[in-house]
Amino acid sequence: MNKMTTDIILNDIETWRICLNINKEIFSEIKINGKIGILPRNSDGSEGSTIQVWEILEDSIRVSLQPFLGFRDASADLIFLLESSALEEIYRHLKNELLIGLRKQIRHGKALLFLMKGRDYLIDMGYEELIEYLGIPCLGTCH
Amino acid sequence: MITNQGAYPDPKGEGKAYFRQVAIYDDKFLPQFERIAAMFKENGAVAIQQILHAGRYGGIDLGYCAAPSVVPQTLPHFRPPREMSKDDIKQCIKEHVEAAKRAIKVGFDGVEVTSFMGYILANFLSKFTNRRTDEYGGSLENRGRFMQELLMEMKEAIGDHLLIVRLNGTELMDQYGGNTEEECLELIKMAANSGVDMISMCIGWQESPASSIGRDVAPGHWNYLAKQAKKEIPNIPLAFGVRLPGAVMANDSIAKGQFDLWEVCRPFLADPERLHKVAEDRTREVKPCIGCLLCLSRLFRDLPYICSINPVLGHEVEPEYQIRPPAYQKNVIIIGGGPAGLECAVTSARRGHKVTIYEKKESLGGQLRVYSNHDLANKQDLEDLLSYYEAMIEKYGIEVKLGVEMTAKQFRKMLHRFDVAVAATGSGIDHGSLPGAEKAVTAFEVMEDKVQCGKRVAVISGKKVGLSTAEYLSMAGHEVVVIEQAKRIAEDVMPTWKWRHASWVEEMNIKTITGVYVKEITDAGVVVIKENGDLAVEADTVVLAERQSQQGLFQELEFMVDELHIIGDAVSPRGLYQAIHEGYRLGARI
Ligand SMILES: Cc1cc2nc3c(=O)[nH]c(=O)nc-3n(C[C@H](O)[C@H](O)[C@H](O)COP(=O)(O)O)c2cc1C
């Protein structure tokens, strides 16, 4: 998939918004103002320049596009960094298999989940269930 | 050569990797280090102190960690990174040098620096975590600059004393954009040219998605990397040993020129006497490290590390854990020859009691033997543990009665023969009151190959026994679905092993249905209750895998024997480590 398709997928915020809101119970444990980002990874390994942010509101999820100026300035609590093939795959099954898709892509090494805040904050914000679901142990690992 | 556990070198604690890690940033800590160095040397060892600044995995008491660049964490356990300035780098070198001088001052023969595993120097070496644009980032040479400067300054400071550096043979971080094996090799060469006296090679980062030291890695698997490195650095001793638990294999590898020194960690936690036993030709008496990673699971829970196989680890100075002769010899009957019973039998026999084991099956080992038959990770580990127990039974003259199921009636015939009875009867799988349960088979029957399953199998329970059974069946070509009441599978699995089951389940296409109640078993399969109504799960065979404790015999034996105890899964179904620990603790005090 080329850059063009990545942009098209990322910019299609209406589809993302509809699908995320259909599945909003996935995010039901996350507190209001929680933010999750989707960031494409370029073929040279660098990060894309636009991040899609899902913001948890009282009874819905807002989807927006923001410039990505580096991890230091990112406002999201979690960021999924996705290779273009992973982004395409997830987009294709957005309606029914968003989380399963993300977990699969993480396991296959096509997606990375970056935790932008400390553990206690993430747990307080209600991310524990989601993080564990994605197969990432909240209390660390070494194998 | 004994290398003492890594001490962090900075007063801020940016280098501190875990709760209770030793520190060496001040002279006030030196008396303890002095005692350790003296102890090593009095026993004929070369004494090395490791200095461990954990970098990306450090700052454990702080709200941040020190790193070359702000590359966020991928595991929640660790702290968000803060970029180090060039002054911070200089300061870090200074702290390492001071720490090294302290260690030498109190009698260590040398120091080891940690440039692996995702610790500070490794963070600079890595393409993934180092995004700097100054002279400490970019090319391999630039990424290695911090390590080289640090090693050279340390060597200058400690003169003829030994300087060792620990590096990765592979990071297993390729998919994150980390260094390749080739780059790791280049960095090993770079370190070799920085004044070090020895290189120790290790595998993986803490964040690595793949296994490096777990039970699913075959012993000796990583030796090829040592072999490659040895070729490149023929003149510098290379220490290696990751997941290489056996002395025989290690000796063989050294003889083949793969590395120069066998480096061992967990096998010594499992059996600190292993070298003496091997030297005295008592290899069968060595307690094996099964690579289960309970030690590291505990570290990540901010708990002192312990060992499944060696219940004494961390309690060596406590009298309750020591093997001491009893006031008088007792006749002990152990009912059940699984891990809890075996450990209790061996421990009480070592103290001088006369012990008899009654086991209803034709062989010892209980569920450990059953599961070792179909272990997907490395069955040899579990078999080694069983053969250790067999050797100890022989050594201590423990009487074993196989194929005898002890009942209260039978025990009554033996009244007065025993002073102590221990119920180590393990767990069972009860058909219970579930409608249709009589149509199902149990996980134990499946794992013992006592029953044949149809093509489609539903396993009720996504805990470790259910998962192991499902994985075994899937490998044997069945279509398997796991049904679990909890929200997630593998709830009772050790933290460092949960991911392993989760990925096997995914790789084998085992379907999981979680967060549901089983309503009934029918001729067509299983009916479960979901939030939005009943769901029929079709299956040709239904396997029950939820375990229950078995306390019936224990209760019946009351008033039949002076001392009566119950241990292991018979108390509550758990796992190997709890069984062995309870067996030991009881054996040490009967
Ligand atoms: C509980 C525990 C603590 C460890 N602490 C250190 C340490 O301080 N420094 C270090 O370089 N490696 C440390 N390691 C890693 C070991 O040195 C070794 O590389 C790893 O356990 C694999 O080798 P093994 O199969 O012989 O255990 C530790 C390992 C364990 C299990």
Side-chain angles (χ1 to χ4, degrees):
Chain A
M1 191 174 62
N2 55 30
K3 173 95 174 60
M4 182 70 180
T5 343
T6 305
D7 287 346
I8 290 172
I9 291 176
L10 212 63
N11 290 342
D12 181 13
I13 54 174
E14 192 51 17
T15 303
W16 286 90
R17 193 186 62 75
I18 292 167
C19 292
L20 289 173
N21 280 290
I22 290 172
N23 290 302
K24 67 173 187 280
E25 80 281 2
I26 296 172
F27 306 103
S28 60
E29 302 209 357
I30 303 171
K31 290 196 181 147
I32 294 170
N33 291 332
K35 290 194 192 78
I36 299 173
I38 292 277
L39 182 62
R41 184 180 209 170
N42 299 327
S43 49
D44 63 359
S46 62
E47 292 85 31
S49 53
T50 304
I51 183 168
Q52 188 188 96
V53 178
W54 314 336
E55 186 176 353
I56 313 296
L57 304 179
E58 185 143 0
D59 49 13
S60 64
I61 295 161
R62 177 164 52 210
V63 182
S64 62
L65 290 176
Q66 295 172 12
F68 179 72
L69 305 171
F71 289 116
R72 205 192 296 250
D73 302 310
S75 65
D77 305 320
L78 307 181
I79 294 180
F80 290 95
L81 183 67
L82 298 164
E83 284 184 13
S84 48
S85 63
L87 184 64
E88 190 187 1
E89 191 67 21
I90 283 161
Y91 180 72
R92 200 178 300 142
H93 304 286
L94 199 51
K95 197 164 156 200
N96 301 319
E97 294 195 344
L98 172 62
L99 280 196
I100 295 175
L102 283 168
R103 184 170 67 179
K104 215 182 255 173
Q105 298 301 334
I106 289 175
R107 191 154 289 145
H108 294 171
K110 305 276 179 208
L112 253 182
L113 174 61
F114 281 127
L115 307 148
M116 307 301 294
K117 304 276 164 59
R119 180 179 73 188
D120 293 348
Y121 176 86
L122 294 173
I123 290 176
D124 282 350
M125 281 297 288
Y127 286 108
E128 188 172 7
E129 185 62 33
L130 174 68
I131 294 171
E132 289 276 352
Y133 179 86
L134 292 168
I136 294 157
C138 251
L139 282 164
T141 186
C142 181
H143 40 246
Chain B
M1 180 181 287
I2 303 180
T3 306
N4 191 32
Q5 185 93 34
Y8 65 96
D10 65 308
K12 277 197 223 157
E14 287 176 350
K16 185 173 175 184
Y18 55 89
F19 186 58
R20 297 188 191 171
Q21 185 187 349
V22 284
I24 192 163
Y25 60 79
D26 193 287
D27 285 354
K28 71 182 177 197
F29 302 117
L30 291 186
Q32 288 96 320
F33 284 102
E34 190 165 13
R35 279 177 55 195
I36 293 170
M39 206 191 321
F40 289 176
K41 291 167 79 169
E42 275 158 23
N43 286 287
V46 175
I48 304 295
Q49 176 58 50
Q50 188 183 72
I51 300 165
L52 191 161
H53 184 305
R56 183 170 171 79
Y57 307 142
I60 217 77
D61 300 328
L62 309 172
Y64 69 96
C65 67
S69 317
V70 176
V71 175
Q73 299 289 0
T74 64
L75 290 176
H77 183 70
F78 301 115
R79 311 292 175 259
R82 203 179 263 184
E83 184 170 313
M84 287 170 80
S85 65
K86 284 194 206 168
D87 283 344
D88 294 334
I89 294 174
K90 280 204 187 81
Q91 178 65 17
C92 189
I93 293 178
K94 196 167 152 229
E95 284 160 353
H96 273 76
V97 169
E98 292 305 316
K101 288 204 287 205
R102 275 187 202 104
I104 300 299
K105 189 163 117 190
V106 294
F108 281 95
D109 299 305
V111 290
E112 181 170 287
V113 176
T114 51
S115 191
F116 74 112
M117 250 283 158
Y119 301 141
I120 193 70
L121 294 173
N123 299 154
F124 275 78
L125 301 181
S126 159
K127 289 192 303 239
F128 169 55
T129 46
N130 185 344
R131 309 278 186 99
R132 297 176 80 97
T133 49
D134 61 11
E135 67 269 35
Y136 291 102
S139 65
L140 195 74
E141 197 190 339
N142 280 358
R143 302 202 305 273
R145 190 180 305 281
F146 180 17
M147 173 184 75
Q148 281 198 300
E149 287 179 1
L150 186 141
L151 291 174
M152 284 170 177
E153 287 200 32
M154 279 178 93
K155 189 63 196 168
E156 202 179 311
I158 63 171
D160 287 342
H161 291 91
L162 296 174
L163 178 62
I164 303 167
V165 61
R166 208 162 189 212
L167 289 140
N168 274 111
T170 175
E171 294 176 346
L172 302 176
M173 292 288 285
D174 304 43
Q175 69 186 47
Y176 289 20
N179 287 331
T180 60
E181 282 179 14
E182 292 72 31
E183 285 168 309
C184 288
L185 200 56
E186 285 306 311
L187 290 162
I188 288 174
K189 285 197 264 176
M190 189 187 283
N193 292 326
S194 307
V196 300
D197 300 292
M198 183 170 116
I199 286 181
S200 149
M201 201 175 92
C202 203
I203 306 296
W205 275 30
Q206 296 203 10
E207 287 162 282
S208 311
S211 268
S212 55
I213 61 171
R215 231 163 59 66
D216 51 339
V217 175
H221 174 80
W222 300 114
N223 284 23
Y224 75 96
L225 288 167
K227 195 172 147 192
Q228 277 173 21
K230 189 63 230 173
K231 266 199 210 131
E232 298 291 338
I233 51 160
N235 301 322
I236 298 217
L238 178 69
F240 182 72
V242 177
R243 185 77 172 122
L244 192 55
V248 175
M249 191 187 232
N251 245 0
D252 191 45
S253 312
I254 292 174
K256 284 185 189 145
Q258 294 179 343
F259 50 86
D260 304 292
L261 287 96
W262 178 35
E263 197 167 55
V264 206
C265 175
R266 291 168 303 161
F268 272 119
L269 304 183
D271 192 342
E273 289 178 62
R274 85 176 30 239
L275 280 193
H276 300 289
K277 290 180 181 173
V278 172
E280 291 159 16
D281 210 14
R282 295 192 285 131
T283 310
R284 278 187 74 213
E285 293 176 26
V286 173
K287 281 189 194 175
C289 164
I290 60 167
C292 71
L293 288 174
L294 172 67
C295 42
L296 288 170
S297 294
R298 294 264 303 192
L299 221 59
F300 279 112
R301 291 289 192 280
D302 290 346
L303 293 168
Y305 51 84
I306 55 174
C307 172
S308 294
I309 310 303
N310 175 15
V312 182
L313 182 74
H315 299 281
E316 290 83 352
V317 296
E318 295 169 39
E320 295 78 4
Y321 280 83
Q322 285 159 8
I323 297 291
R324 292 181 302 177
Y328 61 93
Q329 189 188 50
K330 293 180 180 175
N331 275 326
V332 181
I333 177 171
I334 310 266
I335 304 163
L342 290 173
E343 183 65 41
C344 185
V346 169
T347 310
S348 43
R350 280 172 71 194
R351 292 179 51 229
H353 290 309
K354 190 167 172 348
V355 181
T356 310
I357 302 174
Y358 275 79
E359 165 56 49
K360 73 174 173 189
K361 291 198 186 134
E362 292 299 336
S363 58
L364 290 172
Q367 284 184 34
L368 179 61
R369 186 173 301 277
V370 174
Y371 281 87
S372 73
N373 285 340
H374 300 299
D375 180 36
L376 289 185
N378 183 50
K379 63 195 275 185
Q380 191 61 47
D381 291 319
L382 308 181
E383 284 169 2
D384 287 350
L385 181 58
L386 288 167
S387 87
Y388 156 78
Y389 282 119
E390 279 158 9
M392 300 310 273
I393 284 169
E394 249 173 62
K395 178 167 176 155
Y396 291 105
I398 296 169
E399 200 178 339
V400 179
K401 306 272 191 199
L402 293 175
V404 187
E405 177 157 12
M406 183 57 65
T407 59
K409 198 169 157 198
Q410 179 139 351
F411 194 78
R412 198 166 292 126
K413 290 188 210 150
M414 303 180 178
L415 279 185
H416 315 303
R417 265 188 55 195
F418 296 105
D419 308 297
V420 184
V422 178
T425 41
S427 57
I429 295 176
D430 188 359
H431 287 235
S433 54
L434 179 66
E438 70 286 352
K439 299 185 210 300
V441 298
T442 70
F444 296 162
E445 289 168 319
V446 173
M447 294 303 264
E448 288 182 75
D449 296 316
K450 284 185 177 162
V451 290
Q452 288 289 320
C453 293
K455 179 74 185 158
R456 299 163 311 164
V457 185
V459 177
I460 301 180
S461 174
K463 303 199 176 65
K464 62 182 150 205
V465 168
L467 291 173
S468 306
T469 311
E471 288 151 6
Y472 160 58
L473 286 169
S474 174
M475 290 291 281
H478 298 269
E479 285 164 22
V480 187
V481 53
V482 169
I483 299 169
E484 168 58 44
Q485 193 175 324
K487 264 195 204 165
R488 282 190 288 264
I489 57 164
E491 291 273 88
D492 67 340
V493 175
M494 212 182 278
T496 40
W497 201 242
K498 274 184 204 254
W499 75 278
R500 181 68 278 183
H501 277 299
S503 29
W504 274 334
V505 163
E506 199 181 294
E507 282 159 26
M508 294 177 194
N509 272 327
I510 296 172
K511 205 173 151 206
T512 57
I513 302 175
T514 54
V516 294
Y517 288 91
V518 176
K519 186 175 170 188
E520 66 174 319
I521 296 170
T522 64
D523 288 332
V526 185
V527 180
V528 299
I529 308 173
K530 282 183 79 170
E531 272 166 13
N532 45 1
D534 287 359
L535 171 75
V537 182
E538 289 186 2
D540 305 314
T541 308
V542 178
V543 180
L544 301 174
E546 195 71 43
R547 295 178 299 157
Q548 295 86 26
S549 61
Q550 299 195 113
Q551 302 182 355
L553 185 65
F554 169 69
Q555 283 158 3
E556 286 171 353
L557 294 188
E558 198 64 77
F559 285 100
M560 285 203 208
V561 64
D562 181 19
E563 264 185 61
L564 175 63
H565 302 276
I566 182 165
I567 51 172
D569 281 357
V571 178
S572 151
R574 287 155 296 158
L576 184 64
Y577 118 67
Q578 292 92 341
I580 292 179
H581 283 227
E582 279 175 23
Y584 181 88
R585 286 198 291 258
L586 177 61
R589 79 175 162 85
I590 285 173

